[in-house]
Amino acid sequence: MTHPFDTLWINARLVTCNNGYGIIDNAAIASKDQRIAWLGPMEQLPDQARALAPHIIDAKQRCITPGLIDCHTHLVFAGNRANEFARRLQGESYANIAASGGGIQSTVRATRELDETELLQQSLPRAKALMDSGARVLEIKSGYGLDLETECKMLRVAGRIGETLAIPVRRTFLGAHAVPPEYQGNADNYIRYICNELIPLVAREKLADSVDVFCEHIAFSLQQTREVFACAEQYQLAIKCHAEQLSNMGAAALAAEFGALSADHLEYIDEQGVTALASSGTVAVLLPGAYYFLRESKTPPVALLRKHQVPMAIASDCNPGTSPVTSLKLIMNMACVLFALTPEEAMLGVTLNAAKALGMEQSHGSLSVGKCADIVLWDVNHPDELSYTVG
Ligand SMILES: [Zn+2]
């Protein structure tokens, strides 16, 4: 007997993420060739369940959501910075820790030292932990190599994580994360190296989908960010930006000018920046893990983002220095408690809007016929529960 579908989930509460939660109660959803082939209320099923699919799963009125998407991570790195964490808690300043060889440069040293297999072994558990919290798509950035060899190694490891776990991984080249020791005091020359050598190589070898820059007074200027974006555009790579995390540099408006997929962090964005994002359709990616871990006090202007209807995504920002977080569910809770998102906004932040932040909304981020059947059956009866429980 041939069935029209491969797998059919019945008696489910579907959280489609179309128009808010988009809940369909007492519903079914079917997959065929790993695509969503049908969804709707049980009473509209075209035939007896047994005639429709060889595999039937009874959801018992629990929630089915799209697979979650972590659209901003730095999860490929070596070592950890627990030692610095302890020093910081004892009152030592970040500047002091950095001056004694700590901070991002300590992660750069550790990441340069490992070979590709060792780096994969250290990074893979973090990706698995994110998957355990419901993630089915990951974005992974480079940026702890800051030289040609290590940046490429990180991006290859990110690709291998996707192959090993059989999930889509979007890779972002973040060479402009910090000025490497070889270029201290000479950031302009490092930007030239990125534009003349690294981006052309990354594009040629298809090692990344996007290019990102940390635009901040402790990293790269607006003009240097513009040069990297112009180069990325020339090589037809998508653009993302670490923007207005510690001060208002105008980076979000610059990202919008280049039609960036997303501008990320945004604690210090002003209304001009918000309207720029709105007009370009750039997603605001909020990162409550870093805000929490750094004990920051300035929250992103969520009311302004709502007012101008800028799509908001949230992400783990998983990284060793400022957000050692490997749970998207924890991030959903933090987004609600710390940034006052509604649980519904938090849900859209790790589904449809996260898909937009990666340029994947045609295939991911909501339960819609034709999209990837990348779905999660949760042991909860209402989607608010996903943000309510802590981690
Ligand atoms: Zn980041």
Side-chain angles (χ1 to χ4, degrees), residues 72 74 141 242 265 287 317:
H72 182 140
H74 309 247
K141 300 177 198 295
H242 283 67
H265 282 291
L287 304 167
D317 194 18

Side-chain angles (χ1 to χ4, degrees), residues 87 91-103:
R87 285 164 65 184
E92 198 171 340
S93 73
Y94 184 81
N96 206 32
I97 290 169
S100 65

Side-chain angles (χ1 to χ4, degrees), residues 210-272:
S210 309
V211 170
D212 195 341
V213 177
F214 185 18
C215 182
E216 193 54 70
H217 56 84
I218 59 165
F220 297 97
S221 70
L222 202 61
Q223 179 54 31
Q224 289 163 340
T225 303
R226 178 183 285 282
E227 285 171 36
V228 176
F229 286 172
C231 179
E233 191 173 58
Q234 192 190 328
Y235 285 91
Q236 296 174 327
L237 292 162
I239 288 167
K240 302 175 83 70
C241 189
H242 283 67
E244 341 292 23
Q245 180 185 5
L246 306 170
S247 63
N248 184 14
M249 303 268 295
L254 180 69
E257 181 190 322
F258 278 88
L261 287 175
S262 71
D264 304 38
H265 282 291
L266 303 178
E267 277 83 346
Y268 285 81
I269 192 172
D270 59 13
E271 188 154 13
Q272 209 182 339

Side-chain angles (χ1 to χ4, degrees), residues 172-183:
T172 301
F173 170 67
L174 179 59
H177 193 194
V179 179
E182 300 80 13
Y183 286 87

Side-chain angles (χ1 to χ4, degrees), residues 74-308:
H74 309 247
L75 68 81
V76 170
F77 61 85
N80 69 63
R81 307 231 293 264
N83 169 285
E84 280 174 33
F85 175 59
R87 285 164 65 184
R88 215 157 42 79
L89 291 174
Q90 282 166 4
E92 198 171 340
S93 73
Y94 184 81
N96 206 32
I97 290 169
S100 65
I104 191 170
Q105 301 298 350
S106 71
T107 301
V108 170
R109 278 196 305 278
T111 304
R112 285 178 176 182
E113 270 169 25
L114 294 194
D115 70 24
E116 199 172 308
T117 303
E118 292 165 329
L119 189 57
L120 176 66
Q121 280 168 355
Q122 287 203 16
S123 305
L124 198 55
R126 292 187 277 270
K128 283 183 178 163
L130 284 165
M131 286 188 75
D132 287 344
S133 75
R136 286 297 175 276
V137 176
L138 300 175
E139 186 262 10
I140 302 177
K141 300 177 198 295
S142 70
Y144 293 120
L146 313 180
D147 63 20
L148 187 143
E149 187 188 337
T150 317
E151 288 291 306
C152 291
K153 178 174 74 184
M154 289 184 71
L155 293 168
R156 282 195 302 270
V157 167
R160 284 175 68 183
I161 286 173
E163 288 159 19
T164 307
L165 300 176
I167 56 166
V169 166
R170 282 288 191 269
R171 295 181 290 180
T172 301
F173 170 67
L174 179 59
H177 193 194
V179 179
E182 300 80 13
Y183 286 87
Q184 273 319 317
N186 215 339
D188 280 336
N189 276 355
Y190 181 57
I191 290 293
R192 242 164 262 140
Y193 171 59
I194 285 177
C195 294
N196 295 340
E197 297 192 39
L198 297 190
I199 290 177
L201 179 75
V202 163
R204 194 169 59 239
E205 305 274 325
K206 296 193 188 336
L207 286 170
D209 312 286
S210 309
V211 170
D212 195 341
V213 177
F214 185 18
C215 182
E216 193 54 70
H217 56 84
I218 59 165
F220 297 97
S221 70
L222 202 61
Q223 179 54 31
Q224 289 163 340
T225 303
R226 178 183 285 282
E227 285 171 36
V228 176
F229 286 172
C231 179
E233 191 173 58
Q234 192 190 328
Y235 285 91
Q236 296 174 327
L237 292 162
I239 288 167
K240 302 175 83 70
C241 189
H242 283 67
E244 341 292 23
Q245 180 185 5
L246 306 170
S247 63
N248 184 14
M249 303 268 295
L254 180 69
E257 181 190 322
F258 278 88
L261 287 175
S262 71
D264 304 38
H265 282 291
L266 303 178
E267 277 83 346
Y268 285 81
I269 192 172
D270 59 13
E271 188 154 13
Q272 209 182 339
V274 172
T275 55
L277 295 183
S279 62
S280 65
T282 299
V283 176
V285 178
L286 309 182
L287 304 167
Y291 168 91
Y292 162 81
F293 196 75
L294 294 174
R295 298 205 278 193
E296 293 287 342
S297 55
K298 184 152 171 57
T299 56
V302 168
L304 268 184
L305 293 165
R306 280 190 195 118
K307 176 182 158 193
H308 293 282

